[in-house]
Amino acid sequence: EAQVTQNPRYLITVTGKKLTVTCSQNMNHEYMSWYRQDPGLGLRQIYYSMNVEVTDKGDVPEGYKVSRKEKRNFPLILESPSPNQTSLYFCASSLSPPGGVTEAFFGQGTRLTVV
Amino acid sequence: GQSLEQPSEVTAVEGAIVQINCTYQTSGFYGLSWYQQHDGGAPTFLSYNALDGLEETGRFSSFLSRSDSYGYLLLQELQMKDSASYFCAVRDNNDMRFGAGTRLTVKP
């Protein structure tokens, strides 16, 4: 089954404790991205990757890191989480940059709470 | 830069027709997409318009007017399961920008 898998689905952590949210896709997609979703703000892109070892900043990259060592995986790293990073996070993948005819496939989301 | 505007909430009754509008500002244009998101779920792709006019997919249709930088999603024969948030989106170079979303509530 074609899917994008994120882990964990829920996470409560403390300020400053490094964490990683994993994302894996099985569709051989070249493009992957991370979004955060906050009430009234919709989905905002954090980082995206055009292919292995190629990443770039989205709209809200501060406080986040990513890596793309393999085509299928695109982890999101919070080196020192802060309460303002409490949010719902989505990973997405697509054959090419999404929008237009290219459909983005989303993972089920990770609800992160930083206390 | 890019911006998308859509109403925050819409309410309609089962069986009715509802239209969700989206206006956008872009530096380049690759088309307007629509995504649906149920509470607690992931966004899923609904439709896409690159050219002016109406695209129909079952009960859902999407319209685009590039000269007006405007589009809408039309939902017909509303069902309770259509209660969800709907997002318009455009591509901005190599990333995608979403509107803030329209929460549709369908009442019996």
Side-chain angles (χ1 to χ4, degrees):
Chain A
E1 178 190 355
Q3 59 186 5
V4 179
T5 303
Q6 291 178 231
N7 279 296
R9 292 289 310 278
Y10 302 91
L11 178 60
I12 301 175
T13 190
V14 297
T15 298
K17 185 176 181 181
K18 180 180 179 179
L19 66 91
T20 299
V21 184
T22 64
C23 174
S24 181
Q25 51 92 5
N26 63 0
M27 295 169 277
N28 202 36
H29 285 166
E30 295 194 344
Y31 187 96
M32 297 185 74
S33 55
W34 277 102
Y35 298 86
R36 62 177 289 173
Q37 186 172 31
D38 302 291
L41 296 177
L43 290 147
R44 293 180 293 167
Q45 195 167 43
I46 302 170
Y47 269 95
Y48 64 90
S49 170
M50 299 282 285
N51 212 326
V52 175
E53 302 292 1
V54 181
T55 63
D56 208 346
K57 297 176 181 179
D59 284 338
V60 288
E62 294 78 18
Y64 305 94
K65 286 175 56 175
V66 293
S67 68
R68 187 93 181 272
K69 293 184 170 52
E70 306 165 282
K71 197 171 190 178
R72 63 183 293 126
N73 296 323
F74 191 46
L76 179 70
I77 303 155
L78 286 73
E79 294 270 3
S80 182
S82 62
N84 65 10
Q85 293 178 297
T86 292
S87 187
L88 178 59
Y89 291 86
F90 286 100
C91 178
S93 76
S94 53
L95 281 170
S96 58
V101 69
T102 303
E103 173 185 352
F105 294 85
F106 285 82
Q108 287 306 302
T110 296
R111 187 166 291 281
L112 172 66
T113 302
V114 183
V115 298
Chain B
Q2 311 245 7
S3 68
L4 298 98
E5 298 288 332
Q6 52 181 129
S8 58
E9 294 184 18
V10 173
T11 301
V13 295
E14 211 170 2
I17 300 172
V18 72
Q19 179 174 311
I20 298 174
N21 299 321
C22 175
T23 57
Y24 59 87
Q25 280 187 311
T26 64
S27 51
F29 185 70
Y30 298 85
L32 185 69
S33 304
W34 289 92
Y35 284 77
Q36 178 192 59
Q37 185 183 29
H38 287 99
D39 284 347
T44 55
F45 178 81
L46 280 180
S47 69
Y48 153 73
N49 294 72
L51 303 174
D52 290 355
L54 192 67
E55 294 283 341
E56 298 183 64
T57 310
R59 295 187 298 114
F60 293 3
S61 304
S62 56
F63 172 83
L64 176 66
S65 169
R66 288 175 299 169
S67 61
D68 296 323
S69 296
Y70 163 75
Y72 65 71
L73 181 69
L74 191 72
L75 297 85
Q76 300 179 320
E77 300 172 21
L78 280 174
Q79 302 175 6
M80 298 298 293
K81 68 178 181 179
D82 296 330
S83 290
S85 292
Y86 294 84
F87 297 88
C88 56
V90 294
R91 178 177 158 184
D92 175 9
N93 292 316
N94 290 321
D95 57 11
M96 187 156 73
R97 190 173 295 253
F98 287 84
T102 299
R103 185 174 185 86
L104 170 64
T105 302
V106 180
K107 296 187 173 180

